[in-house]
Structures are given as C-alpha cells and as structure tokens.
Amino acid sequence: MRITDTRPVEILLVEDSPSDAELALEALREAKVRNHLSHVEDGVEAMRFVRRQGEYAQAPRPDLILLDLNLPRKDGREVLSEIKADEELRSIPVVVLTTSRAEQEVLRTYKLQANCYITKPVDFEQFLQLVRSLESFWLYVVTLPGLAPGLPVEPGSQPSASQGRMNGMRRV
Amino acid sequence: MPLSERPPAEILLVEDTLTDAKLIAEAFERGPIVSHLSIVENGVEAMRFLRGLGKYAGVPRANLILLDLNMPLKDGYEVLAEIKADEDLKSIPVIVLTSSPAESDVARAYDLKANCYIPKPGGFDELRQLVVEIESFWFSTATLPPRPPPV
C-alpha cells in the first residue's frame, strides 16, 4: 500500500437524501486519506458540476464520484451514461451507492460502465462501515486516475487541509 | 451476507509472470473467502476462457477479473478493450493489477473502462493484505453483477 502525500482526493457526492449525505460526509471526514467532499443533490447539478458550468466554473475535477441512482431532476442512470459517454469525463471512477439490490438494476448499472455498485444498507452502523470500506478501497488501495504518481497538480485546484463542503448546492 | 456464507468466488487471473501468478494464487488461497482462482497467462487464453471456448467449455463464469497489462500475444489493454466491448462480458469487474506505475498507463486503463487500477505490491505480505482488501471489498461491501449466462 502506498501513502499519498499529494493533494486531497476530490470526491463528488451525488445524493439527494440529506441524512445519507451527512453520514457519508462524517465517515469521510475521519478517513485516513485526506479528501475534500463536494455535494450536489440532483442529476442536473451533478452534470453542471462535472462540466464546470455556471457557478461551478472553479469546481475541482472529481477524482471519484459517489452516485445515487434515484435522483430528482435527472436520474442517476442518465448521469452515469452521460459521464461514461463523455471523452473528458469517462475515466472518472463512478461508484454507484444506491438502495436497490435488484439484479437487473445491478447488471444494467455495470453494463453502463459504473466502476462499482454498492447497495446502501438501511442500518446506520452498517452504512458507516460501508463508507469506511469504500474509502479504504477507493482512496487507499486503488490508484485513482487523477492521482497517479508523477501527475502534476491540476491548474486551478486548491489543496485544502481540511474536509469541507462546496457551497452552491440548491435544496430541491 | 457474511463472507463465509457466500458461494465460492470465481476469479480469473490474467498474468504471464509465473512467479507472480503463484504468489497471487497463494495469497487467494489464504484469503478470507472460499475462492476459485483460474489462471491464464496471456490475453488470447483470457478471451477463450471468458467465452468458454475449446478446453474452457463449461468453465464457471468469472465474478471478477484480475488483469496484468504487460503480456505477450495480446496485451492487457487489448484484452480490457475486448472485455468491455463484449455485451456479455462487459459487466464483469476488471481490476488492473500491474507493476507498471506510469501515470499514462493509469489513465489509459480507466479510459478503457477498467473498474479500478491497483499497483502490484512488492512483497508477499503486502500481496496477502491486498487480496484481503480486494475480497473484502468486492465480495462483501460491493454488490457484484449477476454472472453472465453460461455459453
């Protein structure tokens, strides 16, 4: 395992449930790998964020996206398709974190090239454990495309010493 | 479901270096779950295995693929591209596990739709720990896709 001392990992959380978002934020705040979490609450904002449109012009490029499938305004499945069809964006790992465990849903999501599918447990403690496991694997074991050794820090990105939330999200 | 109660995991390792293959196999044998590791040593065999061709007719379908990038005959990038273009096979998670550390390789692997990229650890203890991490994550935390139908 390698310890990275490069910039914090940029994570985009696309999640409409405030309690689930809060839980993820808390769990990632304690992570052993420094990370910065941005949060949007629907699919339209998700696409605007990754495309750096409007108020997101200075948004950091995510190193990892945590994506719920059931989102208002634009469904998570559409977001996934759009990201994976976009030459600029498709290399960003997308971890789907959603409530359904229906086989056909899981299959369809992997076929859409989600990097991983995780079913959210109902239980609070299990959810916390899950986010920790996710963090351990995706931030620590895996080499994310934006953070391969030797890559220059992206121009415009701001290394931050603490976890924080991005302003600019709208309550739907 | 606890790791111990799941059906055996079918893992395909695509690895041309014999010593690495042996070490990885041993690490999986000592891993937390009951797993069956199949090993092929080049990309051509990998595709034949996954498609159940020839001597591989009737082999159980892989849940997970570990893929080295630098191999003879058909290099790992080609294999990756073929798997992710195949309607039946594209849903199988592919972990690129390779000693190539160049950032361009990382980007290229993700671009070709590798599910994740993991640098091969140096020592056996690290390898064992890595296997624990991979099994714990992919066979317990994550939800794997249902296996493709048998050929």
Side-chain angles (χ1 to χ4, degrees):
Chain A
M1 314 298 171
R2 22 152 222 72
I3 305 288
T4 177
D5 57 0
T6 55
R7 58 171 176 77
V9 178
E10 291 289 344
I11 303 172
L12 173 64
L13 175 65
V14 188
E15 171 60 69
D16 67 323
S17 155
S19 52
D20 285 358
E22 193 55 45
L23 208 56
L25 182 65
E26 279 306 311
L28 288 167
R29 195 172 267 148
E30 299 170 16
K32 57 190 168 192
V33 177
R34 285 190 309 147
N35 63 88
H36 174 252
L37 190 72
S38 302
H39 174 216
V40 295
E41 298 179 325
D42 66 60
V44 170
E45 293 305 294
M47 293 315 300
R48 294 182 72 242
F49 185 101
V50 296
R51 290 185 172 135
R52 301 185 187 177
Q53 292 168 345
E55 69 269 40
Y56 300 120
Q58 298 303 313
R61 179 181 165 91
D63 296 307
L64 181 69
I65 299 172
L66 305 181
L67 176 67
D68 190 0
L69 291 182
N70 304 309
L71 298 168
R73 293 176 80 205
K74 180 179 280 193
D75 180 75
R77 298 152 192 91
E78 270 193 69
V79 171
L80 175 60
S81 298
E82 281 187 42
I83 288 173
K84 292 300 178 181
D86 186 314
E87 263 190 45
E88 292 291 309
L89 303 174
R90 70 185 177 201
S91 63
I92 303 174
V94 178
V95 174
V96 164
L97 188 57
T98 198
T99 46
S100 171
R101 60 165 63 245
E103 272 197 1
Q104 285 315 300
E105 181 80 270
V106 178
L107 181 61
R108 182 162 64 140
T109 305
Y110 276 104
K111 284 198 175 189
L112 287 176
Q113 303 306 302
N115 296 69
C116 174
Y117 187 109
I118 302 179
T119 306
K120 278 190 218 176
V122 174
D123 181 76
F124 172 90
E125 270 305 316
Q126 284 181 13
F127 188 78
L128 211 55
Q129 282 309 314
L130 189 138
V131 177
R132 289 190 183 128
S133 172
L134 188 162
E135 178 259 327
S136 178
F137 189 77
W138 286 97
L139 271 59
Y140 192 64
V141 175
V142 165
T143 301
L144 293 171
L147 286 145
L151 266 186
V153 175
E154 195 186 48
S157 76
Q158 293 141 41
S160 62
S162 61
Q163 283 74 4
R165 290 171 90 156
M166 181 109 185
N167 269 333
M169 40 181 191
R170 259 198 295 280
R171 297 270 168 221
V172 174
Chain B
M1 190 188 297
L3 286 177
S4 55
E5 286 175 20
R6 291 168 181 264
E10 294 292 338
I11 303 168
L12 175 65
L13 171 63
V14 190
E15 169 62 66
D16 69 321
T17 308
L18 190 58
T19 43
D20 284 3
K22 282 185 172 172
L23 285 175
I24 294 170
E26 196 174 331
F28 271 96
E29 244 168 84
R30 300 182 189 210
I33 68 171
V34 179
S35 61
H36 178 244
L37 188 75
S38 301
I39 305 175
V40 293
E41 55 184 29
N42 63 60
V44 171
E45 287 304 293
M47 296 316 298
R48 289 169 55 79
F49 180 96
L50 290 167
R51 290 179 172 139
L53 300 173
K55 67 180 177 183
Y56 301 117
V59 297
R61 288 295 189 127
N63 286 119
L64 189 67
I65 299 168
L66 299 179
L67 175 66
D68 189 3
L69 285 179
N70 306 307
M71 290 182 305
L73 277 188
K74 188 178 271 203
D75 81 6
Y77 294 108
E78 271 191 71
V79 176
L80 179 55
E82 258 191 78
I83 291 170
K84 292 302 181 179
D86 185 304
E87 194 54 33
D88 276 341
L89 303 177
K90 66 185 354 179
S91 58
I92 306 173
V94 178
I95 298 178
V96 165
L97 181 66
T98 192
S99 35
S100 165
E103 60 265 25
S104 53
D105 288 342
V106 178
R108 192 175 165 202
Y110 279 105
D111 227 42
L112 291 172
K113 301 170 187 174
N115 293 71
C116 60
Y117 181 109
I118 299 178
K120 248 191 220 173
F124 184 64
D125 284 345
E126 275 191 312
L127 189 56
R128 280 183 63 188
Q129 183 53 37
L130 177 61
V131 167
V132 170
E133 296 275 359
I134 289 173
E135 288 190 332
S136 301
F137 183 78
W138 286 99
F139 293 95
S140 186
T141 301
T143 304
L144 286 170
R147 280 185 226 172
V151 181

